[in-house]
Amino acid sequence: MTAPAPRTVPLIWTVARREIVVKLQDKAFRTSTAFLLLVMAASVVLPQLLSDDRPRFTVAAVGPEASALVTDASALASAAGDDGSGLPRADIALEPADGLPAAEEMVRSDRADAAVTGGAAGGFTIVAAREVPPELEQLLARSSYARRLSAGLARVGADAEAVRAVLLRAATPPAERLQDPDPRDGETAMYLFAAFAVVFLMTNMIFGVSIAQSVVEEKQSRVVEILVAAVPVPVLLAGKVIGNTLMVMGQVLLLLVVGVGVSQTVGQSVLTQLLGENSGWFVLYFLLGFVMLACLWAVAGSLASRLEDLNATTVPMQMLLFVPFFTAIYLPEDSGVLTGLSFAPVFSPIVMPRRLLTGGAAWWEGAAACGVIVATGVLLVLVAARLYRGSLLSTGSRTTLRAAWTSHARERDTTTD
Amino acid sequence: MLELHQIDRFFGERHVLHEVSFPVRPGVLTGFIGANGAGKTTTMRIVLGVIGADAGRVLWDGRPLERSTRRTFGYMPEERGLYPKMKVLDQLVHLGRLFGLRPAEAAERAMRLLTSLGVADRAGDRLDSLSLGNQQRVQVAAAVIHDPRALVLDEPFSGLDPVAVDVMAGMLRARADLGNPVLFSSHQLDLVERLCDDIVIIDRGTVVVAGPSERIRRERSGSRFRLVVGGPTEWLRPDPRWKVLELEGPRALVELLDADDEQPLLARALEHGPVHEFGPVVPTLAEIYRETVR
């Protein structure tokens, strides 16, 4: 009994399947994925937390008039930010005090940030330990002005409540209208691009090195001899690249889902919108960008003969990632160089997403760049397949590119197909 | 039948195989011996298509070996080769699938092999957690997971304990009994002598001896005879027809100058008393090896 020769596609899938299963069983991989997700969630949440620093104040009030003043200030503070009044946002808690000594004692013992005493007629007094917190001072001052003015006007016959309401509303500054507004939040877009670039760089490094490692492990353990006797070399290469590509895409989709989910939860509306609009591009550039280099990573593995050699053989690959990365991050916006590089092989997968995100590129430019990446990828796959074949079975020391390139023809089959 | 025909191979400037030709007959064990660096591994790798030949061909039933046929060969590389971090059963199933088995079929065959090799209880363990001997058994299972039509094993006995040697030998014999060609290399000449029907000796890339072991040893036995007598032995000494190489009590090793003088020697011996033992001395494989490989 002999097994029938299997067709190519199931064979590729068998190789790819092993790559995936081994990866999923790998503790280091699972840990690094969890870590990446955590970083993603944190990078969405942190800016929100940092920008949302509402100070909290506890204010002791002596008597009903002072209490009313603090209540006014508290209402102003919680409405601030959304009402365009220009007043600082804050949470103010009222703590009624039994006389001035009690209020002073509360400030001294740090149970209150400040105490308010007095009334609209004779004027209010704020007592604080060293200084009145500026946000609190501003809010209390605005409230005091309204109360004293309305009290004064009431004495000359006006409706004190109505005056006070008008005064508080009148504090709203003029509305603004821009003739040529920038619909995008440039800072958030650049922030998001940096996140894309870092994730692109990290996943490419992680999975690129993983491909190279998987190749060199097979070389080092010599299992490659059995594999090559069983399966044509291009099938091995294809299986590895496809298996790892599926893993990359899985991880990237997971990151996107977490990113969108978290940004929606914490109410990062601009970020959610940007992510929603661009996630299609992100996924596309990730896919093309990774596949473009994946076969070269396999070559970096096959040039090495031991895991230790990978440090040296993967250096060119790291350059192919880091140079475009820093270029895309640091080149100024609106420079011709950036536009040019967004269509350049190798640079395109990371430079074009920046132009798409920060608003410099039209959709057809994005599509054209994809064409460039695909063409580069096809060329690199052909070169890599030859180098891989030429170096996979060389043992002993590291193989040079030249040796791999020329020995390709000599390691042809003795058999006919 | 598997046959190598005029294989040449260079590594850079070095000519490592010179027109290597020999048959690997079905149903018998062929032992492949030679010093380190003589070209055994290179030859075997060429048979499996792991590397190419610069000239010559590998034939199967008289026709050039096709890839689809070669896929049905079992191979055990010299430095072994499995995934160290993969579980034993998982990797056997993986290899079985690469050879075209269905997953269930591969799993079933793998378990059966592991059981017959006595390592079934380690099926769920990582390969690198097994002892070297047990790893070797798994390696054997990997070589025959797809029920190969021919077996090529590079040093299958190296590093095995005596029990494992017997298990391996039994396995090889069983494969041969199925009518498959089995080629294996070894440095253990006594083992090859004991197990192999055919032998191939390679020296610095050239095959110096190839053929059935019995025939080769008989051909090289020359005219040496072992004689054990019951009577005196002094009569042996002065005779122009033979030379006494060794004499120890009643036992003598005699070299005839003319091979036809075998019966006269026996007749002379019988004249002086009883003859307990008389026969040609067949050289051991080790002796042949030392004679041919210099």
Side-chain angles (χ1 to χ4, degrees):
Chain A
M1 184 206 83
T2 51
R7 283 166 301 129
T8 304
V9 172
L11 269 184
I12 292 178
W13 174 239
T14 302
V15 177
R17 196 181 147 280
R18 197 199 81 87
E19 294 290 320
I20 293 172
V21 170
V22 166
K23 210 84 205 125
L24 289 178
Q25 288 174 346
D26 182 13
K27 254 198 212 104
F29 169 73
R30 289 193 302 221
T31 316
S32 77
T33 304
F35 179 72
L36 262 183
L37 289 176
L38 218 72
V39 168
M40 182 71 179
S43 67
V44 174
V45 172
L46 277 183
Q48 183 85 345
L49 288 183
L50 293 177
S51 67
D52 190 38
D53 47 352
R54 292 168 78 99
R56 301 170 165 277
F57 302 112
T58 302
V59 180
V62 184
E65 279 203 74
S67 289
L69 179 79
V70 173
T71 308
D72 277 357
S74 172
L76 279 176
S78 56
D82 297 333
D83 64 358
S85 65
L87 289 171
R89 291 158 69 100
D91 288 324
I92 298 178
L94 167 66
E95 198 67 55
D98 248 350
L100 188 57
E104 293 231 21
E105 180 50 36
M106 283 170 77
V107 173
R108 200 169 292 119
S109 64
D110 233 11
R111 277 179 293 140
D113 297 289
V116 179
T117 180
F124 294 100
T125 305
I126 306 176
V127 182
R130 288 177 183 280
E131 58 164 354
V132 183
E135 296 92 344
L136 187 61
E137 185 174 29
Q138 209 182 334
L139 288 160
L140 288 172
R142 174 70 58 82
S143 305
S144 158
Y145 176 67
R147 283 219 162 250
R148 295 201 68 187
L149 188 56
S150 62
L153 288 174
R155 279 197 296 278
V156 298
D159 177 350
E161 271 313 302
V163 169
R164 199 164 56 81
V166 167
L167 279 171
L168 287 174
R169 263 206 309 280
T172 308
E176 290 174 3
R177 186 170 58 78
L178 301 173
Q179 284 180 318
D180 189 14
D182 184 355
R184 292 159 193 278
D185 179 338
E187 213 171 293
T188 310
M190 197 57 204
Y191 178 76
L192 186 60
F193 167 69
F196 164 84
V198 168
V199 172
F200 183 88
L201 185 74
M202 281 186 69
T203 51
N204 262 278
M205 285 293 292
I206 290 173
F207 285 94
V209 168
S210 146
I211 291 180
Q213 265 175 354
S214 151
V215 171
V216 79
E217 268 166 14
E218 284 175 357
K219 271 189 87 170
Q220 196 167 6
S221 71
R222 295 282 183 274
V223 74
V224 70
E225 292 200 21
I226 296 180
L227 298 179
V228 168
V231 183
V233 171
V235 167
L236 275 183
L237 181 61
K240 273 187 195 305
V241 169
I242 289 171
N244 279 282
T245 304
L246 287 176
M247 296 302 288
V248 168
M249 294 323 289
Q251 202 175 54
V252 166
L253 287 178
L254 206 59
L255 283 171
L256 260 181
V257 167
V258 167
V260 170
V262 172
S263 74
Q264 226 155 20
T265 312
V266 301
Q268 276 268 33
S269 51
V270 182
L271 195 60
T272 310
Q273 193 199 343
L274 274 172
L275 264 176
E277 280 172 5
N278 293 286
S279 54
W281 284 120
F282 281 178
V283 172
L284 187 63
Y285 279 100
F286 258 108
L287 178 65
L288 296 179
F290 182 76
V291 173
M292 180 183 85
L293 293 180
C295 290
L296 284 185
W297 280 105
V299 172
S302 68
L303 289 175
S305 63
R306 292 166 306 135
L307 278 173
E308 295 81 0
D309 297 339
L310 276 186
N311 289 335
T313 59
T314 57
V315 164
M317 298 307 300
Q318 294 173 23
M319 299 313 289
L320 286 181
L321 284 172
F322 277 100
V323 172
F325 172 80
F326 286 114
T327 310
I329 295 274
Y330 290 117
L331 268 191
E333 193 71 31
D334 299 327
S335 70
V337 183
L338 197 71
T339 308
L341 285 178
S342 69
F343 294 102
V346 181
F347 284 87
S348 195
I350 195 160
V351 177
M352 184 51 90
R354 164 163 171 194
R355 293 193 52 227
L356 285 167
L357 253 181
T358 55
W363 71 267
W364 61 265
E365 288 185 278
C370 287
V372 171
I373 301 171
V374 170
T376 314
V378 169
L379 186 73
L380 291 182
V381 165
L382 292 177
V383 171
R386 174 167 173 166
L387 290 171
Y388 184 69
R389 175 69 171 142
S391 55
L392 188 58
L393 293 158
S394 69
T395 49
S397 57
R398 266 166 50 199
T399 315
T400 61
L401 276 177
R402 179 193 298 270
W405 184 257
T406 50
S407 74
H408 152 83
R410 295 189 66 241
E411 299 307 349
R412 73 200 180 286
D413 258 314
T414 41
T415 59
T416 51
D417 279 290
Chain B
M1 180 155 85
L2 177 66
E3 211 173 335
L4 285 81
H5 184 74
Q6 307 269 306
I7 304 265
D8 270 276
R9 169 75 203 207
F10 292 81
F11 284 139
E13 294 293 299
R14 277 190 309 130
H15 194 176
V16 293
L17 293 182
H18 303 261
E19 301 181 355
V20 167
S21 302
F22 62 87
V24 187
R25 293 190 294 153
V28 300
L29 298 181
T30 301
F32 193 20
I33 51 190
N36 293 326
K40 300 189 297 293
T41 297
T42 304
T43 305
M44 292 178 140
R45 293 172 106 200
I46 287 172
V47 171
L48 266 297
V50 173
I51 58 174
D54 290 314
R57 282 186 304 183
V58 181
L59 303 173
W60 179 255
D61 290 340
R63 291 205 306 277
L65 178 61
E66 289 178 13
R67 186 196 281 276
S68 57
T69 306
R70 202 185 52 205
R71 284 175 48 83
T72 66
F73 288 7
Y75 177 43
M76 186 160 157
E78 182 191 19
E79 291 168 75
R80 308 299 168 245
L82 287 175
Y83 294 104
K85 291 177 194 161
M86 224 173 152
K87 289 177 183 166
V88 169
L89 182 62
D90 287 355
Q91 61 184 318
L92 289 179
V93 171
H94 176 64
L95 289 173
R97 294 181 68 175
L98 287 182
F99 281 113
L101 300 182
R102 279 173 287 113
E105 196 182 356
E108 193 230 293
R109 280 194 57 85
M111 271 324 289
R112 203 144 29 91
L113 284 168
L114 291 176
T115 306
S116 73
L117 291 164
V119 280
D121 54 325
R122 309 302 300 270
D125 296 342
R126 273 169 49 145
L127 184 77
D128 58 7
S129 73
L130 270 60
S131 69
L132 283 180
N134 281 341
Q135 288 190 24
Q136 189 99 324
R137 291 170 196 227
V138 177
Q139 194 79 47
V140 174
V144 298
I145 181 77
H146 55 306
D147 199 5
R149 254 201 260 180
L151 260 190
V152 177
L153 307 107
D154 205 346
E155 298 284 348
F157 292 99
S158 79
L160 292 190
D161 65 40
V163 176
V165 165
D166 289 346
V167 171
M168 174 74 78
M171 211 268 317
L172 295 188
R173 175 55 67 194
R175 297 307 306 184
D177 288 346
L178 291 172
N180 297 323
V182 176
L183 175 70
F184 74 89
S185 66
S186 180
H187 286 299
Q188 286 150 279
L189 299 177
D190 53 330
L191 199 71
V192 173
E193 181 169 304
R194 183 156 62 81
L195 290 176
C196 289
D197 312 281
D198 288 1
I199 54 167
V200 177
I201 300 179
I202 188 167
D203 181 31
R204 282 165 293 180
T206 305
V207 172
V208 288
V209 172
S213 166
E214 274 306 305
R215 200 194 72 207
I216 290 167
R217 290 172 60 198
R218 198 169 305 285
E219 276 172 7
R220 284 165 188 271
S221 66
S223 44
R224 289 181 187 188
F225 283 79
R226 167 77 57 198
L227 182 65
V228 182
V229 295
T233 51
E234 294 75 35
W235 57 269
L236 269 170
R237 287 290 183 197
D239 199 307
R241 288 174 295 179
W242 53 70
K243 218 164 72 189
V244 178
L245 301 174
E246 283 171 34
L247 185 58
E248 220 183 299
R251 313 172 66 86
L253 181 63
V254 182
E255 183 166 25
L256 298 179
L257 301 184
D258 181 345
D260 294 339
D261 286 333
E262 168 194 339
Q263 291 307 317
L265 171 62
L266 179 60
R268 278 295 303 276
L270 285 166
E271 282 169 26
H272 293 89
V275 172
H276 297 304
E277 213 180 282
F278 179 68
V281 176
V282 180
T284 64
L285 188 55
E287 286 165 336
I288 295 176
Y289 179 79
R290 271 188 283 275
E291 252 173 58
T292 51
V293 175
R294 310 222 167 260

